[in-house]
């Protein structure tokens, strides 16, 4: 609107709490886009290392001629480091917390930020799974506490999930979405503080289906991954992707989804637990489902028919339907999230509209009859749409009109 100053225009300075894998990347991104950033961690050595990583990364951008040396220098000059929350928080417009994934720690940090920052500042968390509402309760400004979930690495991945806690104001959500756009990102809105938000929740459903199929010996690891990649057009197979993400992280997220949604996310413990026990947690340690010591696993082309990829789609569509039914997300944001957050070739809602919601629902019903597992039980929203004849493109109405 003409004359109206966007709330995000008021943000000139930011603090980033935690300078690890995500925190240093978020700091770099903010500073590259003109923000003054104070990066906070528990000691100076960690902060020095983080700043070195940023310097190295900016050097790479210069090498690739994406930015000029003077831009890199100016970016670095906008970053300061400190172990003091008071110093970092003094006159900021936003703080983004990227400390380890532990609720007690995050609550302590939010309480400290509440004291150390202007009362108008927005306090955001980069948490992958934890409750934004709980973090808000640790402050006296729950209306200005929200999730701002970047994907790894933050400068490369285009997606940011903005999560609304129970107390978060609409203005805070809108301001963070504007800020994400100013950083060159596409924000999607998670309207409720649901576990797994959008992307990890739908991905978790696809992982689980594949792990159970493998457990029941309906496919081999290579066969499932070959089908997912070469028939489904996904960038990686599910086992390859789980290794890439880290089985420790996939395991933790899986546990949280199970706690939140019950039997629909029953984890396939026989497949994943032994690997966790032996610390075979994927690419970062050289072994998980696959051996990564000689680089990426080679997924053979000739097994591309071994697994029915529509099964992955069916559980993903089902979870998308649950998100919509709970009014936690829109079909557009779900599809954008899966395409930008995990490079899926289509979003689940688009896929269902093209293939037919009736086809997807029947697939789920068949699987439910066969295996009697909750993950296959069609969401009531799917049944409702199908009964109304909203079966997708062929009816001009499905998830989309
Ligand atoms: N790594 C990913 O792929 C990824 C992606 C999206 C979101 N996340 C989320 O981002 C957050 C950070 O993850 P990460 O992978 O960067 O972790 P990390 O372990 O690499 O970094 C955490 C940093 O926080 C610092 N820290 C610990 N206690 C602190 C305190 N009290 N005050 C300030 N700093 C403190 C640590 O010293 C460390 O440098 C987590 O909530 C995680 O779930 C991670």
């Amino acid at each position: 609107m003409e004359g109206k100053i966007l709330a995000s225009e008021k943000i000139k300075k930011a603090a980033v709490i935690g300078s690890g894998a995500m925190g240093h990347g978020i700091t770099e991104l903010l500073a590259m886009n003109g923000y003054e950033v104070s990066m906070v961690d528990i000691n100076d050595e960690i902060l020095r290392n983080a700043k070195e990583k940023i310097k190295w990364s900016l050097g790479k951008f210069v090498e690739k001629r994406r930015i000029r040396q003077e831009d890199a220098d100016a970016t670095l000059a906008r970053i300061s480091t400190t172990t003091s929350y008071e110093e970092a928080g003094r006159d900021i417009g936003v703080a983004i917390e990227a400390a380890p994934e532990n609720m007690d720690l995050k609550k302590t940090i939010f309480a400290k930020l509440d004291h150390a920052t202007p009362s108008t500042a927005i306090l955001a968390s980069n948490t992958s799974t934890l409750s934004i509402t709980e973090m808000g309760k640790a402050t006296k400004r729950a209306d200005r506490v929200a999730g701002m979930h970047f994907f790894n690495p933050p400068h490369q991945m285009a997606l940011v999930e903005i999560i609304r806690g129970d107390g978060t104001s609409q203005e805070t959500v809108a301001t963070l979405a504007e800020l994400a756009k100013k950083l060159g990102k596409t924000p999607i809105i998670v309207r409720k503080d649901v576990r797994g938000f959008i992307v990890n929740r739908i991905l978790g459903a696809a992982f689980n289906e594949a792990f159970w199929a493998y457990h029941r010996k309906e496919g081999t690891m290579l066969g499932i991954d070959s089908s997912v990649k070469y028939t489904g057009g996904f960038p990686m197979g599910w086992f390859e992707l789980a290794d890439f993400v880290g089985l420790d992280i996939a395991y933790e997220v899986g546990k949280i989804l199970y706690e939140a949604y019950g039997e629909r996310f029953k984890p396939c413990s026989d497949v994943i637990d032994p690997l966790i026990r032996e610390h075979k947690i994927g690419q970062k340690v050289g072994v998980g489902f696959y051996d990564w010591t000689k680089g990426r696993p080679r997924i053979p082309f000739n097994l591309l028919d071994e697994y029915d990829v529509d099964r992955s789609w069916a559980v993903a569509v089902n979870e998308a339907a649950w998100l919509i039914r709970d009014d936690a997300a829109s079909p557009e944001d779900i599809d954008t999230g899966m395409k930008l957050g995990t490079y899926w070739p289509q979003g689940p809602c688009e896929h269902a509209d093209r293939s037919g919601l009736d086809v997807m629902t029947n697939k789920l019903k068949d699987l439910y009859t066969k295996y009697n597992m909750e993950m296959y039980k069609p969401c009531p929203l799917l049944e409702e749409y199908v009964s109304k004849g909203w079966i997708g493109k062929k009816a001009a109405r499905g998830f989309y009109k």
Side-chain angles (χ1 to χ4, degrees):
M1 236 188 312
E2 212 182 343
K4 188 184 172 213
I5 300 175
L6 294 176
S8 65
E9 299 286 348
K10 293 183 199 145
I11 298 174
K12 306 278 181 230
K13 288 190 181 176
V16 174
I17 315 303
S19 66
M22 294 303 288
H24 89 272
I26 296 168
T27 300
E28 179 179 353
L29 182 70
L30 284 160
M32 281 181 83
N33 285 281
Y35 294 91
E36 300 276 333
V37 195
S38 203
M39 188 164 63
V40 183
D41 211 303
I42 48 177
N43 69 47
D44 289 328
E45 196 190 335
I46 297 178
L47 285 166
R48 254 195 311 278
N49 284 338
K51 200 153 179 197
E52 273 309 307
K53 280 192 201 147
I54 296 176
K55 200 171 164 187
W56 178 87
S57 163
L58 289 169
K60 285 280 157 200
F61 283 130
V62 174
E63 230 176 85
K64 291 181 189 158
R65 295 177 188 274
R66 301 248 310 262
I67 60 173
R68 292 168 305 175
Q69 184 60 50
E70 48 269 43
D71 300 327
D73 295 342
T75 299
L76 264 189
R78 279 191 284 272
I79 300 171
S80 57
T81 59
T82 176
T83 52
S84 155
Y85 282 64
E86 280 68 30
E87 195 181 317
R90 202 168 294 138
D91 50 359
I92 56 161
V94 66
I96 302 175
E97 169 276 318
E101 192 75 332
N102 173 305
M103 183 51 98
D104 288 338
L105 174 65
K106 296 210 191 255
K107 276 184 173 167
T108 311
I109 291 176
F110 272 78
K112 277 202 216 172
L113 285 172
D114 199 28
H115 286 289
T117 60
S119 60
T120 49
I122 291 179
L123 310 180
S125 173
N126 184 49
T127 179
S128 311
T129 43
L130 300 174
S131 165
I132 300 302
T133 308
E134 285 299 303
M135 291 177 222
K137 282 184 190 159
T139 72
K140 293 193 183 72
R141 61 176 98 175
D143 58 324
R144 262 157 289 143
V145 173
M148 189 171 194
H149 181 214
F150 289 84
F151 287 69
N152 192 12
H155 64 73
Q156 203 173 314
M157 299 296 288
L159 189 73
V160 176
E161 289 181 319
I162 309 289
I163 303 106
R164 184 174 194 170
D166 290 355
T168 313
S169 71
Q170 190 49 43
E171 193 190 344
T172 297
V173 170
T175 306
L176 289 180
E178 284 164 18
L179 175 63
K181 283 186 195 159
K182 287 190 176 158
L183 300 175
K185 305 293 167 194
T186 303
I188 58 172
I189 310 297
V190 189
R191 294 182 196 139
K192 288 191 179 156
D193 192 10
V194 292
R195 302 285 57 77
F197 309 139
I198 296 174
V199 175
N200 283 334
R201 179 163 161 184
I202 292 183
L203 194 59
F207 275 171
N208 251 4
E209 207 297 309
F211 296 168
W212 279 102
Y214 170 68
H215 178 60
R216 298 187 207 106
K217 299 197 169 39
E218 291 162 329
T220 59
M221 225 155 29
L222 285 173
I224 292 173
D225 277 2
S226 176
S227 310
V228 169
K229 259 176 104 137
Y230 305 121
T231 304
F234 291 87
M236 285 191 195
W238 302 135
F239 292 92
E240 190 186 4
L241 180 59
D243 267 358
F244 186 75
V245 168
L247 295 185
D248 52 340
I249 292 175
Y251 175 79
E252 284 304 321
V253 173
K255 236 171 43 182
I256 285 166
L257 293 173
Y258 185 42
E259 278 163 24
Y261 307 111
E263 289 303 297
R264 202 162 85 238
F265 276 93
K266 187 179 165 71
C268 190
S269 307
D270 287 350
V271 167
I272 196 159
D273 289 18
L275 293 170
I276 299 288
R277 273 198 298 274
E278 291 171 43
H279 200 63
K280 293 180 177 168
I281 55 171
Q283 187 211 22
K284 58 189 164 196
V285 296
V287 61
F289 287 119
Y290 294 109
D291 179 357
W292 291 74
T293 49
K294 294 185 194 75
R296 259 180 93 160
R298 289 194 50 229
I299 312 293
F301 196 69
N302 61 345
L303 300 177
L304 87 184
D305 284 331
E306 203 182 283
Y307 172 70
D308 173 10
V309 185
D310 261 353
R311 290 169 56 149
S312 304
W313 280 118
V315 293
V317 167
N318 208 27
E319 211 44 49
W322 279 107
L323 275 161
I324 296 164
R325 182 173 190 262
D326 297 346
D327 195 27
S330 68
E332 289 84 354
D333 279 358
I334 292 171
D335 286 346
T336 302
M338 298 319 288
K339 287 188 287 187
L340 296 184
T342 62
Y343 298 115
W344 280 21
Q346 295 169 44
C349 301
E350 289 168 337
H351 182 85
D353 272 11
R354 282 187 198 143
S355 305
L357 270 66
D358 49 341
V359 175
M360 287 288 132
T361 308
N362 286 336
K363 176 112 236 153
L364 285 165
K365 283 182 179 163
D366 288 349
L367 291 165
Y368 187 52
T369 308
K370 199 163 168 193
Y371 302 115
N372 193 27
M373 285 186 76
E374 285 296 302
M375 76 167 135
Y376 304 119
K377 193 174 179 182
C379 168
L381 185 90
L382 276 179
E383 305 252 37
E384 183 197 322
Y385 281 11
V386 172
S387 73
K388 284 180 177 164
W390 296 358
I391 55 171
K393 237 177 165 177
K394 54 196 168 195
R397 173 86 212 236
F399 283 114
Y400 294 95
K401 277 185 194 156

